[in-house]
C-alpha cells in the first residue's frame, strides 16, 4: 500500500453504475430492502453494503469519506455538511456533562465560540492554553479531561502544534488528541503524527472552489461507527449531513488537491520571502524566521510545501483595511473570509474570523489589529502579482 497521501487517493477505483469514470451520484433519501430482516440488521449496523436512510449514510458520501480516510491514513471517515458540523459532532460525541476539553487558544473563532459559549450549556468546560507550550498543556489536564484539541497550523497566528509530543501527553493520560488539519491538507498526515481523530473543513483547500461548505471527521472504525450510531451517535442525531450531490462534486475536486497545494505553497513562499526581504512583518512557516519552521519541517510531507496561508502585520486596522480594499480594486484578490480559493483571499482576522475571541484575549495571544491574513491563490505569474501588491503596499504607506 502506498505511503503517500495523494497516491492513496488515486489508488481508489470506483466505476459508475454504467461504467462511468466517476461513481454514480446517489439521489435517494431512503432505500428499499428485498427482505425485512435485512432492514433490521442494517438498523443494528450489521448489514455490510446496505443503505438505510441518507442521514445515516449514502453511497456518494461514503465514496468521499473513503477518499478522505485514505488521504488521512485513518480506517474510515464521515463527511458532514460543514466543518463546524464535523467539529461539534466530535465534541458532543466525546464529551458529556462534567467533562473537560483542553484546546489551543489560537483557533478558528467559530470553534472557540462553541467551546466558550455553547458547550457550557451541557456542562462541558474548556481550558484554552498556548498549545505550543507542552508544560501548559499537561498542567491543564484534570481527571475529567476527555480530549486535547488543536489546529495543526493555527488560525490565524500560524503556530504549529507539536503533534508527536502532544500525542505522548494524550496517551499518558488516556485522553484523545483531536486535530483540525484544515489549513494543511496533504502537507501533514495528522494520524501518522499521533492524532486520534482528524477533522477538516472541506470548505477550504480540499474543495477549493468556494461553492459549498463541508466537513469531515477521519478516525477509527469504532469512533466513526459511534458517531453514526442510530441510538446515540452525534452525527446521526444532530443531523449535519452533507448532500450527495455536493459529496460527488467535492470528490472530483479532491483529485486535483495535490497540484493545487503545491501551487498555493509555491506562490505563498514566493510572496512571503520577498515581502520579508522588503522589510515587512511576515509570518509564514516556510520562512526561517518563523518560530516553528524546524518543527514544521520535522513533520511535513515535503512535496506539498509550507501551505498557502501567510500573514502580514501592517500596524493598524485602518492601514489593513486600506490595503485590502486597494488590492481588491487592483484585482489582486478578494476581501473575503475563507481560504483555499484560486484567487487570493484576504481578511483582517481580528475583526472577522477571530472576532468571537474577546479583544483582551486576542491581545494576549499576539493577535494584532493590523494583521492581514492572506490565502494565496493559484496565480500563474506570481512575480507579476508580487510587483502589483508591492505597488499597493507603497501606495498605502506600509512600504
Ligand atoms: N476549522 C478551521 C481551521 C476554519 O478556518 C474553519 C472555517 O473558517 C472551520 C474549521 C469551520 O468550517 P466551516 O466553515 O466549513 O463550518
Amino acid at each position: 500500500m502506498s505511503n503517500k497521501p495523494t497516491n492513496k487517493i488515486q489508488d481508489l477505483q470506483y466505476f459508475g453504475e454504467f461504467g462511468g469514470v466517476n461513481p454514480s451520484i446517489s439521489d435517494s433519501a431512503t432505500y428499499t430492502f428485498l427482505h425485512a430482516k435485512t432492514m433490521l440488521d442494517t438498523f443494528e449496523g450489521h448489514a455490510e453494503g446496505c443503505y438505510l436512510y441518507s442521514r445515516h449514510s449514502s453511497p456518494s458520501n461514503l465514496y468521499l469519506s473513503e477518499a478522505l480516510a485514505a488521504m488521512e491514513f485513518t480506517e474510515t471517515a464521515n463527511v458532514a455538511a460543514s466543518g463546524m458540523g464535523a467539529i461539534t459532532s466530535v465534541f458532543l460525541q466525546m464529551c458529556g456533562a462534567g467533562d473537560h476539553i483542553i484546546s489551543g487558544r489560537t483557533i478558528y473563532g467559530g470553534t472557540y465560540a462553541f467551546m466558550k459559549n455553547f458547550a457550557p450549556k451541557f456542562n462541558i468546560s474548556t481550558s484554552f492554553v498556548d498549545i505550543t507550550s507542552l508544560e501548559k498543556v499537561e498542567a491543564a489536564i484534570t481527571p475529567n479531561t476527555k480530549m486535547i484539541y488543536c489546529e495543526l497550523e493555527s488560525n490565524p497566528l500560524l503556530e504549529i502544534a507539536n503533534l508527536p509530543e502532544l500525542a505522548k501527553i494524550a496517551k499518558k493520560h488516556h485522553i484523545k488528541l483531536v486535530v483540525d488539519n484544515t489549513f494543511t491538507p496533504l502537507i501533514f498526515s495528522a494520524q501518522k503524527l499521533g492524532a486520534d481523530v482528524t477533522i477538516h473543513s472541506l470548505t477550504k483547500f480540499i474543495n477549493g472552489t468556494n461553492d459549498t461548505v463541508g466537513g469531515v471527521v477521519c478516525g477509527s472504525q469504532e469512533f466513526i461507527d459511534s458517531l453514526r450510531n442510530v441510538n446515540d451517535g452525534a452525527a446521526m442525531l444532530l443531523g449535519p449531513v452533507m448532500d450527495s450531490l455536493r459529496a460527488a462534486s467535492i470528490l472530483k475536486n479532491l483529485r486535483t488537491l495535490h497540484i493545487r497545494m503545491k501551487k498555493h505553497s509555491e506562490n505563498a513562499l514566493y510572496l512571503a520571502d520577498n515581502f520579508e526581504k522588503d522589510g515587512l512583518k511576515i509570518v509564514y512557516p516556510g520562512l526561517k524566521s518563523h518560530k516553528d519552521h524546524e518543527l514544521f519541517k520535522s513533520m511535513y510531507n515535503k512535496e506539498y510545501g509550507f501551505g498557502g496561508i501567510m500573514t502580514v502585520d501592517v500596524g493598524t486596522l485602518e492601514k489593513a483595511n486600506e490595503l485590502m480594499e486597494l488590492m481588491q480594486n487592483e484585482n489582486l484578490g478578494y476581501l473575503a473570509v475563507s481560504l483555499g480559493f484560486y484567487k487570493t483571499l484576504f481578511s483582517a482576522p481580528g475583526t472577522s474570523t477571530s472576532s468571537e475571541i474577546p479583544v483582551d484575549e486576542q491581545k494576549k495571544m499576539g493577535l494584532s489589529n493590523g494583521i492581514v491574513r492572506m490565502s494565496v491563490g493559484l496565480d500563474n505569474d506570481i512575480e507579476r502579482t508580487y510587483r502589483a501588491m508591492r505597488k499597493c503596499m507603497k501606495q498605502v504607506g506600509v512600504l
Side-chain angles (χ1 to χ4, degrees), residues 82-84 87 108 151 155 180 182-183 201 203-204 213-214:
S82 68
M84 285 309 293
I87 291 167
Y108 166 59
E151 292 175 8
N155 181 14
D180 181 333
T182 298
F183 275 33
S201 163
T203 316
K204 315 290 160 39
V213 289

Short mmCIF file of all heavy atoms in Angstrom, two decimals, residues 82-84 87 108 151 155 180 182-183 201 203-204 213-214, ligand 1:
data_model
loop_
_atom_site.label_atom_id
_atom_site.label_comp_id
_atom_site.label_asym_id
_atom_site.label_seq_id
_atom_site.Cartn_x
_atom_site.Cartn_y
_atom_site.Cartn_z
N SER A 82 -20.74 20.71 7.12
CA SER A 82 -19.81 21.84 7.25
C SER A 82 -18.68 21.43 8.18
O SER A 82 -18.78 20.40 8.87
CB SER A 82 -20.54 23.07 7.84
OG SER A 82 -20.89 22.81 9.19
N GLY A 83 -17.64 22.24 8.21
CA GLY A 83 -16.56 21.97 9.16
C GLY A 83 -17.09 22.02 10.59
O GLY A 83 -16.76 21.18 11.42
N MET A 84 -17.94 23.01 10.88
CA MET A 84 -18.49 23.11 12.23
C MET A 84 -19.38 21.91 12.56
O MET A 84 -19.45 21.47 13.70
CB MET A 84 -19.28 24.42 12.39
CG MET A 84 -18.42 25.67 12.53
SD MET A 84 -17.12 25.56 13.79
CE MET A 84 -18.08 25.49 15.29
N ILE A 87 -16.88 19.30 13.60
CA ILE A 87 -16.23 19.61 14.88
C ILE A 87 -17.19 19.43 16.05
O ILE A 87 -16.88 18.76 17.04
CB ILE A 87 -15.68 21.06 14.84
CG1 ILE A 87 -14.51 21.16 13.87
CG2 ILE A 87 -15.28 21.54 16.23
CD1 ILE A 87 -14.09 22.58 13.52
N TYR A 108 -9.86 28.71 15.11
CA TYR A 108 -10.93 29.37 14.35
C TYR A 108 -11.99 29.90 15.33
O TYR A 108 -12.39 29.20 16.27
CB TYR A 108 -11.52 28.36 13.37
CG TYR A 108 -12.82 28.81 12.78
CD1 TYR A 108 -12.90 29.99 12.05
CD2 TYR A 108 -13.98 28.07 12.96
CE1 TYR A 108 -14.09 30.42 11.53
CE2 TYR A 108 -15.19 28.49 12.44
CZ TYR A 108 -15.24 29.68 11.73
OH TYR A 108 -16.44 30.11 11.22
N GLU A 151 -5.58 23.05 16.33
CA GLU A 151 -5.41 23.17 14.88
C GLU A 151 -3.93 22.95 14.62
O GLU A 151 -3.08 23.53 15.30
CB GLU A 151 -5.86 24.56 14.41
CG GLU A 151 -7.36 24.71 14.56
CD GLU A 151 -7.89 26.10 14.21
OE1 GLU A 151 -7.13 26.93 13.70
OE2 GLU A 151 -9.08 26.33 14.46
N ASN A 155 -5.14 29.15 13.33
CA ASN A 155 -5.81 30.23 12.65
C ASN A 155 -6.01 31.39 13.63
O ASN A 155 -6.67 31.20 14.63
CB ASN A 155 -7.18 29.70 12.18
CG ASN A 155 -7.99 30.72 11.43
OD1 ASN A 155 -7.49 31.75 11.03
ND2 ASN A 155 -9.25 30.44 11.26
N ASP A 180 -7.55 19.59 14.03
CA ASP A 180 -8.15 20.23 12.85
C ASP A 180 -7.01 20.51 11.87
O ASP A 180 -6.11 21.30 12.14
CB ASP A 180 -8.84 21.53 13.30
CG ASP A 180 -9.51 22.26 12.15
OD1 ASP A 180 -9.08 22.12 11.00
OD2 ASP A 180 -10.47 23.03 12.42
N THR A 182 -7.38 21.65 8.71
CA THR A 182 -7.98 22.41 7.59
C THR A 182 -6.97 23.21 6.78
O THR A 182 -7.06 23.28 5.56
CB THR A 182 -9.06 23.37 8.15
OG1 THR A 182 -10.08 22.59 8.77
CG2 THR A 182 -9.66 24.25 7.09
N PHE A 183 -5.99 23.83 7.45
CA PHE A 183 -5.03 24.70 6.75
C PHE A 183 -4.00 23.90 5.94
O PHE A 183 -3.37 24.46 5.05
CB PHE A 183 -4.28 25.58 7.76
CG PHE A 183 -4.98 26.85 8.16
CD1 PHE A 183 -6.36 26.90 8.24
CD2 PHE A 183 -4.27 27.99 8.45
CE1 PHE A 183 -7.02 28.07 8.61
CE2 PHE A 183 -4.91 29.18 8.82
CZ PHE A 183 -6.29 29.20 8.90
N SER A 201 -12.36 21.24 7.63
CA SER A 201 -13.41 21.96 6.93
C SER A 201 -13.09 21.76 5.46
O SER A 201 -12.05 22.23 4.97
CB SER A 201 -13.37 23.45 7.29
OG SER A 201 -14.12 24.17 6.32
N THR A 203 -14.59 23.05 3.14
CA THR A 203 -14.91 24.32 2.51
C THR A 203 -13.69 25.01 1.92
O THR A 203 -13.80 25.80 0.99
CB THR A 203 -15.51 25.26 3.59
OG1 THR A 203 -16.44 24.52 4.38
CG2 THR A 203 -16.17 26.47 2.99
N LYS A 204 -12.52 24.71 2.47
CA LYS A 204 -11.32 25.47 2.17
C LYS A 204 -10.53 24.79 1.04
O LYS A 204 -11.03 24.62 -0.04
CB LYS A 204 -10.50 25.62 3.45
CG LYS A 204 -11.35 26.02 4.67
CD LYS A 204 -11.83 27.45 4.54
CE LYS A 204 -13.04 27.81 5.41
NZ LYS A 204 -13.13 27.30 6.74
N VAL A 213 -20.00 24.70 1.66
CA VAL A 213 -19.33 24.34 2.89
C VAL A 213 -19.39 22.82 3.04
O VAL A 213 -20.23 22.16 2.44
CB VAL A 213 -19.96 25.02 4.14
CG1 VAL A 213 -19.68 26.50 4.16
CG2 VAL A 213 -21.45 24.75 4.21
N GLY A 214 -18.46 22.28 3.80
CA GLY A 214 -18.44 20.84 4.03
C GLY A 214 -17.41 20.51 5.09
O GLY A 214 -16.54 21.34 5.40
N1 LIG B 1 -11.65 24.96 11.11
C1 LIG B 1 -10.94 25.98 10.61
C2 LIG B 1 -9.46 26.00 10.81
C3 LIG B 1 -11.57 27.01 9.90
O1 LIG B 1 -10.84 28.02 9.41
C4 LIG B 1 -12.98 26.95 9.72
C5 LIG B 1 -13.71 28.00 8.99
O2 LIG B 1 -13.24 29.07 8.72
C6 LIG B 1 -13.68 25.88 10.27
C7 LIG B 1 -12.98 24.90 10.93
C8 LIG B 1 -15.17 25.77 10.12
O3 LIG B 1 -15.52 25.23 8.90
P1 LIG B 1 -16.89 25.53 8.13
O4 LIG B 1 -16.93 26.98 7.82
O5 LIG B 1 -16.80 24.64 6.93
O6 LIG B 1 -18.01 25.12 9.05
#
